[in-house]
Amino acid sequence: MEAKEFDRILEEECQRAEKVIRSCLPEEKGRQRRLTEAMNYSLTAGGKRLRPILMAKTCRMCGGAEPEILGGFMAAMEMIHTYSLVHDDLPAMDNDCYRRGKRTTWYVYGEAMGILAGDGLLNCAFETALKAVGHWMERQDISESEKLLLTDRAWRALSVLAEKAGAWGMIGGQAVDVMAASGADAEEDWAEELLFIHEHKTAALIQASMMAGAILAGADNEQIEKIEKCARNIGIAFQIQDDILDVIGDSDELGKATGGDALNHKRTYVTWKGLEGAKADVEKLSREAADILDEFQGEHEFLKELILHLIYRRK
């Protein structure tokens, strides 16, 4: 796929995802209005909407699904991702005052409201997905058998979102990362610990996005397992590339200072495998992910290009 064509489709998919997400924003009303303002501030603060796009394109690759249901899950996925960023920025975590050039949620609304905004987004994610299922069930032009079939898929997709976002997924990875940074967890095999963090903190939500899309499309168990492995590779390769860019990246292009990992004596994938070893693993993981997608009959050229774009980004 030519670069111009890829950029055009990506822009279209971003706009489509943005429209879906904004249609699901919680209303800013009632005594809790400041809470929903903070939630919406977080959700509309920018971002590439990559996880909803991955969900939608995986769904289409596997045969498609009812747009109403898919849209609700796309918005839910972005809410989960956004809540994780809101909590990451808190003083007790990364203590960041700016993200993507804008003031972070806690910095604008206060630390307590930042915590609650993240909590609200996580709950709102599942409310949004469930509402989409509910609207489907109320339709009069759909047979009972069709309703039962898609409802079963929706429950399975919700289960994946819950597991990959929870203690056995993203939150678990974040917890291990916090313990490693504080020295509370003196893990002797730190390389294994680092891989655990990458698999859970980053890859888990990519897995949730792509697996939910496949499930909603009606993919079978074997296909879903392949998608799960593909997404794992994407997430780990993405994080390895982060470590590589901290060593060789251009600070102006990245929009942040480089060399911080070495300065802070942080153990990274480059520390473990060396620069060339890290690059080789990125190549291996990305090739495996692309090969898995090529096993699917549905259209996936853009999806494959998007994955390679993510992994081999320069910023």
Side-chain angles (χ1 to χ4, degrees):
M1 180 178 290
E2 294 184 358
K4 287 185 178 180
E5 178 68 4
F6 172 79
D7 290 340
R8 181 189 67 78
I9 298 175
L10 179 59
E11 179 61 26
E12 289 176 356
E13 292 296 334
C14 285
Q15 291 178 2
R16 187 176 293 114
E18 189 69 34
K19 183 177 180 180
V20 167
I21 291 163
R22 288 182 178 271
S23 72
C24 297
L25 295 177
E27 291 186 75
E28 298 178 6
K29 65 178 184 179
R31 289 185 177 273
Q32 70 273 50
R33 178 173 180 171
R34 188 157 178 81
L35 170 64
T36 50
E37 283 180 2
M39 292 164 63
N40 290 340
Y41 175 84
S42 309
L43 272 173
T44 58
K48 299 177 182 178
R49 311 308 192 192
L50 294 173
R51 288 155 189 81
I53 293 173
L54 285 171
M55 181 185 292
K57 299 304 287 187
T58 304
C59 183
R60 292 165 197 161
M61 179 183 72
C62 294
E66 171 60 32
E68 183 181 14
I69 295 284
L70 179 62
F73 277 80
M74 288 170 63
M77 190 69 251
E78 189 67 11
M79 289 175 184
I80 292 171
H81 173 58
T82 301
Y83 118 79
S84 74
L85 300 181
V86 171
H87 281 186
D88 269 354
D89 291 334
L90 289 167
M93 301 287 279
D94 293 342
N95 194 26
D96 284 327
C97 298
Y98 289 88
R99 179 179 288 276
R100 305 189 187 105
K102 291 188 65 174
R103 292 187 294 174
T104 51
T105 305
W106 78 265
Y107 195 54
V108 174
Y109 291 92
E111 185 176 358
M113 195 58 72
I115 294 170
L116 293 172
D119 294 343
L121 284 168
L122 178 57
N123 279 273
C124 192
F126 291 98
E127 290 173 24
T128 301
L130 286 167
K131 283 179 182 177
V133 178
H135 291 158
W136 169 269
M137 294 296 290
E138 291 171 359
R139 287 177 53 171
Q140 301 300 312
D141 59 327
I142 305 297
S143 69
E144 288 302 314
S145 60
E146 288 178 295
K147 289 180 180 180
L148 287 173
L149 178 62
L150 195 56
T151 300
D152 178 65
R153 294 176 186 174
W155 298 152
R156 292 176 63 198
L158 279 167
S159 296
V160 167
L161 260 61
E163 179 183 348
K164 295 296 185 182
W168 306 111
M170 184 267 295
I171 295 176
Q174 182 69 66
V176 174
D177 193 24
V178 167
M179 290 187 290
S182 66
D185 184 12
E187 175 62 57
E188 291 183 6
D189 191 352
W190 64 267
E192 184 178 330
E193 180 180 69
L194 180 68
L195 190 59
F196 178 95
I197 293 169
H198 288 354
E199 284 181 329
H200 292 76
K201 186 177 177 182
T202 301
L205 291 192
I206 296 176
Q207 288 177 315
S209 303
M210 297 182 70
M211 289 172 68
I215 290 168
L216 290 173
D220 59 35
N221 290 337
E222 182 180 352
Q223 290 174 319
I224 294 166
E225 288 177 4
K226 289 179 179 179
I227 291 294
E228 185 175 23
K229 181 181 178 183
C230 175
R232 172 192 176 276
N233 283 15
I234 295 166
I236 294 175
F238 183 91
Q239 282 303 127
I240 298 173
Q241 185 71 1
D242 247 11
D243 292 348
I244 292 171
L245 291 176
D246 192 71
V247 177
I248 66 171
D250 183 284
S251 58
D252 291 333
E253 192 174 2
L254 288 168
K256 63 179 181 180
T258 56
D261 291 340
L263 187 64
N264 296 319
H265 305 289
K266 183 178 179 181
R267 297 182 297 195
T268 70
Y269 207 92
V270 175
T271 311
W272 176 21
K273 293 288 188 78
L275 188 58
E276 294 308 313
K279 288 181 179 179
D281 281 358
V282 168
E283 175 66 24
K284 178 176 180 291
L285 289 164
S286 60
R287 185 173 61 251
E288 287 178 357
D291 287 346
I292 289 171
L293 292 181
D294 283 337
E295 296 179 26
F296 287 81
Q297 298 300 313
E299 195 284 318
H300 60 274
E301 184 180 1
F302 171 78
L303 181 59
K304 187 161 69 171
E305 288 292 327
L306 176 59
I307 288 168
L308 296 176
H309 174 75
L310 287 175
I311 293 173
Y312 289 106
R313 72 200 185 285
R314 300 299 302 174
K315 58 182 179 179

